[in-house]
Amino acid sequence: ALEVGKNAARLPLTKKQRESLLKRVQWNLLGRLGMAAFEIMDWWAFNVILLTQTHEPADEAFALRGVDASGVKGATEKAALLREGAVVSVGQKGQLGNPDARVTLAEDEGGERLETYATSFEGLTTGDIDRFVRKFTEVRHHDDWRIYIQNTLETTLYSGRTDIIWWGGNGEVISSFPGSFIKGAPAWGKAGLRVTQMRNLPVTVYTGEIFGKNAATLVPKKKEYFPAVWCYCSSPEFRNAVRVIDQKLNVTIATLVKVPFDLAHWQQVAAERYPNGLPKPYSDDPTQWLFHGHPQPATDPLQVAVARLLGYRWPAETDADMELAIEARQWIAHTDKLAAHADDDGIVCLPAVRGEKPAHERLLALLIDAWETVTPGSWKASTLDRLLADADCAGKSLEVWLCEKFFEQHAKRFHHRPFIWHVWDGLKDGFGALVNYHKLDARNLERLIHTYLGDWIRIQEAGVASGLDGAPQRLAAAQALKKKLEAILEGEAPYDIFVRWKPLAQQPIGWNPDLNDGVRLNIRPWMTAAVLRHNKGPKLNIKWDKDRGKDVESAPWFPVFKGDRINDHHLTLAEKRVARDGARGR
């Protein structure tokens, strides 16, 4: 008999079905192949087993025999292991004593299981993740938002801290939203760990945040169990133990605590590894809301320095109640010494205009202070060379990196939700400005157009009058950019913003965005006008495709889109004004 993942996906064996089959028929020979069992790519993600059975009940002495080839990769390697691997023999009746009667090719050694010491929780479902969840760097004011922990791609102490969730009305809107399920609340505020339920089951520490269902949250039943549970779950032994009883790509939440757990052994491991207890929260990764905000130890110093120059600050810097390591608080104290470099309006031009120094000179001054205010004499010429080499700009200048590399790297680093925008006119020697999205309201856009770009245009007009080489081209490009920015400021279609969860009367009129709607929606007129350094994928991978799920009939755009969650829709200023005037009249 051949059981393959496509059939198993439609008809998964439940605990009762496994118990019934183990009691009713003899399992003669089992070959566990796992994923990627065939060369055909359509089958790579399915778990496959080969199984022969006899239609006769197994007695107490009957042995199930088999070969486990799920651990090797590729069909060729699996085939070789099936031919040459050792055949394991286990008692069939003994399989009934396994967690949920799962069939394994290993005898149950008995002993206590992890579920004795920890509880596994499933997280919430919002019903519309694109509406309620953001990258924390997208939102300026966090009053109605809560930090939100996601899964981790690798086992590390503190990861998965990239997102926030809208929690207005203490979560009442989400809890009543169609398709939402608020789960996991008993774990909120407690210490534990997050286990990504895919592949090698990477884990990270959980510190009480709201969490979703794309990973399981394990909470020890007593605080003193936590270090031991962490050491075990972050070890290969945990992953191997889980995979013995569940080879599915997406492991169930219940399975994660069905594995054997020797508390005394792992307490000893924890005592040796963490004699002072687990480290307190700390991160050098600027994509995490735990990040302290200082460029020097950051995983991407140049990106952090640019953000600081434009006046951005990380949540950890402003939240005195956030639990952080002493080292993180020390770095936060050092960031205060860089405050003088922060631009007041969040607009830093690449060329020298309006009496301000060019961006690369201002950035260099901030970088030098970032080193010198921590350790005097620590900044060397070689320091900048190393930073540029790490930013794929070896042998070139900071000016070149800002002009040619920054925005692409920024978009990629921050999950294609950039919060520092590089506005430019299309010429390498033309006008360019870095703009802090959080400060870019209508007033600052006017300032960008008339003060900064206006000064650049006056410089080029003077250059044309004096016959300066290239001035006519730079003037034409700047004037074209000005017209596009004015169109964005006005906000007439197609340079409008459309928010699918807001009725017509609440849609933005002109460039008056609600930052809480997110970068993806608010950046559309800028990409449409092609005024950014990169305006399309893969360098700026932002699309307005239809979002997953269906809206209910009460959704504001249900009559137009028949329940589809459409983002790429345009509205005229006249339509918006009529709707807004009508709402005021009511």
Side-chain angles (χ1 to χ4, degrees):
L2 170 64
E3 181 184 353
V4 293
K6 282 189 174 179
N7 292 327
R10 288 195 294 267
L11 297 170
L13 288 177
T14 64
K15 177 182 178 181
K16 289 184 178 180
Q17 288 174 313
R18 284 191 294 269
E19 288 176 340
S20 177
L21 287 171
L22 287 168
K23 292 175 181 178
R24 290 189 297 106
V25 300
Q26 296 175 358
W27 295 45
N28 307 117
L29 186 61
L30 172 66
R32 192 183 296 282
L33 304 184
M35 294 184 295
F38 303 111
E39 298 292 349
I40 303 173
M41 287 301 295
D42 290 348
W43 295 90
W44 77 270
F46 295 110
N47 275 301
V48 180
I49 66 168
L50 302 173
L51 175 65
T52 62
Q53 295 176 326
T54 299
H55 191 62
E56 184 176 335
D59 58 27
E60 294 294 335
F62 186 83
L64 182 161
R65 294 175 173 84
V67 177
D68 189 350
S70 62
V72 296
K73 296 181 179 180
T76 302
E77 292 78 3
K78 293 178 187 293
L81 189 56
L82 282 178
R83 291 192 301 268
E84 304 166 5
V87 178
V88 177
S89 179
V90 296
Q92 180 170 321
K93 288 292 187 181
Q95 303 296 308
L96 291 167
N98 290 339
D100 298 328
R102 295 183 182 275
V103 178
T104 72
L105 294 176
E107 294 286 5
D108 188 351
E109 299 179 357
E112 293 183 305
R113 301 190 186 281
L114 184 57
E115 63 186 345
T116 303
Y117 302 99
T119 304
S120 183
F121 292 92
E122 182 181 9
L124 62 77
T125 302
T126 65
D128 190 348
I129 192 170
D130 297 292
R131 173 178 177 177
F132 293 115
V133 177
R134 299 278 180 276
K135 299 302 175 187
F136 74 89
T137 48
E138 295 185 75
V139 177
R140 182 178 181 184
H141 301 295
H142 294 144
D143 294 342
D144 288 327
W145 297 77
R146 298 291 183 270
I147 53 179
Y148 186 64
I149 190 167
Q150 294 281 26
N151 59 333
T152 180
L153 299 179
E154 60 180 358
T155 294
T156 186
L157 279 165
Y158 295 101
S159 183
R161 291 158 164 84
T162 60
D163 290 4
I164 54 177
I165 185 169
W166 191 76
W167 211 244
N170 200 26
E172 292 180 4
V173 174
I174 291 181
S175 62
S176 61
F177 190 81
S180 68
F181 298 94
I182 306 300
K183 297 181 179 180
W188 299 350
K190 299 178 181 178
L193 56 141
R194 290 278 285 170
V195 183
T196 303
Q197 296 162 249
M198 305 287 281
R199 298 193 180 278
N200 62 344
L201 309 178
V203 301
T204 192
V205 171
Y206 168 72
T207 48
E209 303 82 7
I210 299 171
F211 56 92
K213 63 179 299 181
N214 55 355
T217 297
L218 271 57
V219 176
K221 295 181 178 180
K222 293 183 179 180
K223 290 182 179 180
E224 55 264 34
Y225 297 158
F226 184 31
V229 172
W230 164 259
C231 287
Y232 174 54
C233 292
S234 61
S235 72
E237 286 91 333
F238 172 70
R239 179 180 67 250
N240 295 338
V242 171
R243 288 306 183 189
V244 164
I245 60 176
D246 195 340
Q247 290 78 36
K248 291 190 302 182
L249 179 64
N250 187 8
V251 179
T252 64
I253 289 174
T255 300
L256 296 172
V257 291
K258 300 288 187 180
V259 293
F261 179 63
D262 185 342
L263 177 64
H265 168 73
W266 290 104
Q267 282 180 326
Q268 181 62 35
V269 172
E272 295 173 358
R273 191 174 299 172
Y274 304 108
N276 299 315
L278 289 178
K280 295 293 184 182
Y282 178 91
S283 178
D284 288 328
D285 182 352
T287 68
Q288 308 289 305
W289 38 255
L290 277 176
F291 177 58
H292 47 71
H294 200 281
Q296 190 180 147
T299 55
D300 201 334
L302 290 182
Q303 288 291 336
V304 175
V306 171
R308 296 214 73 86
L309 179 63
L310 272 291
Y312 182 77
R313 299 182 70 190
W314 272 259
E317 298 181 63
T318 57
D319 187 350
D321 296 327
M322 185 180 292
E323 184 183 16
L324 293 171
I326 293 175
E327 183 182 3
R329 291 293 178 196
Q330 291 171 339
W331 281 116
I332 289 173
H334 285 304
T335 65
D336 294 339
K337 304 169 187 175
L338 305 178
H341 295 277
D343 190 82
D344 57 350
D345 58 16
I347 302 173
V348 175
C349 296
L350 273 64
V353 296
R354 192 179 163 267
E356 293 184 354
K357 293 181 179 180
H360 67 279
E361 291 186 13
R362 297 176 64 181
L363 180 60
L364 179 60
L366 187 151
L367 285 167
I368 292 172
D369 269 1
W371 265 253
E372 290 293 315
T373 56
V374 175
T375 307
S378 61
W379 178 265
K380 311 290 183 185
S382 59
T383 305
L384 180 59
D385 294 338
R386 174 179 57 80
L387 295 177
L388 289 170
D390 291 342
D392 192 30
C393 208
K396 298 180 181 179
S397 67
L398 195 59
E399 182 178 12
V400 169
W401 177 77
L402 276 174
C403 292
E404 299 181 7
K405 297 284 188 177
F406 161 73
F407 190 56
E408 177 185 357
Q409 293 175 2
H410 177 76
K412 184 176 180 180
R413 171 67 68 184
F414 292 97
H415 315 286
H416 292 279
R417 295 294 182 265
F419 60 96
I420 304 297
W421 295 354
H422 181 173
V423 180
W424 81 318
D425 61 10
L427 297 180
K428 285 190 175 183
D429 62 345
F431 178 83
L434 303 179
V435 181
N436 184 342
Y437 161 71
H438 296 286
K439 296 184 177 183
L440 188 56
D441 54 16
R443 181 180 178 183
N444 266 351
L445 177 51
E446 290 178 338
R447 196 173 189 184
L448 173 64
I449 296 170
H450 302 297
T451 302
Y452 293 98
L453 181 56
D455 189 46
W456 175 260
I457 288 174
R458 287 187 288 273
I459 293 172
Q460 303 315 310
E461 288 173 337
V464 171
S466 62
L468 186 65
D469 187 37
Q473 292 80 12
R474 289 190 293 272
L475 177 59
Q479 289 172 333
L481 175 62
K482 181 182 179 183
K483 290 181 180 179
K484 291 179 179 180
L485 294 178
E486 288 173 337
I488 294 172
L489 181 64
E490 181 186 14
E492 184 62 86
Y495 307 114
D496 59 316
I497 299 170
F498 174 69
V499 184
R500 62 172 175 80
W501 50 82
K502 291 182 176 180
L504 181 57
Q506 295 178 16
Q507 296 292 326
I509 294 179
W511 180 250
N512 186 29
D514 180 351
L515 295 183
N516 289 350
D517 293 331
V519 166
R520 179 176 69 142
L521 301 185
N522 289 328
I523 204 173
R524 185 179 71 162
W526 298 75
M527 293 179 65
T528 302
V531 296
L532 300 177
R533 184 63 174 83
H534 301 292
N535 295 285
K536 57 185 178 179
K539 293 182 178 181
L540 183 54
N541 191 20
I542 299 179
K543 300 177 182 178
W544 305 281
D545 295 340
K546 179 174 68 175
D547 289 335
R548 291 176 295 175
K550 289 284 187 177
D551 276 330
V552 294
E553 293 186 12
S554 59
W557 295 94
F558 184 90
V560 179
F561 305 134
K562 307 304 180 185
D564 287 338
R565 291 174 171 173
I566 301 296
N567 294 294
D568 200 6
H569 182 66
H570 293 281
L571 297 166
T572 66
L573 290 174
E575 290 176 290
K576 296 179 183 180
R577 289 181 177 126
V578 168
R580 190 166 294 190
D581 291 343
R584 288 172 181 166
R586 290 194 299 269

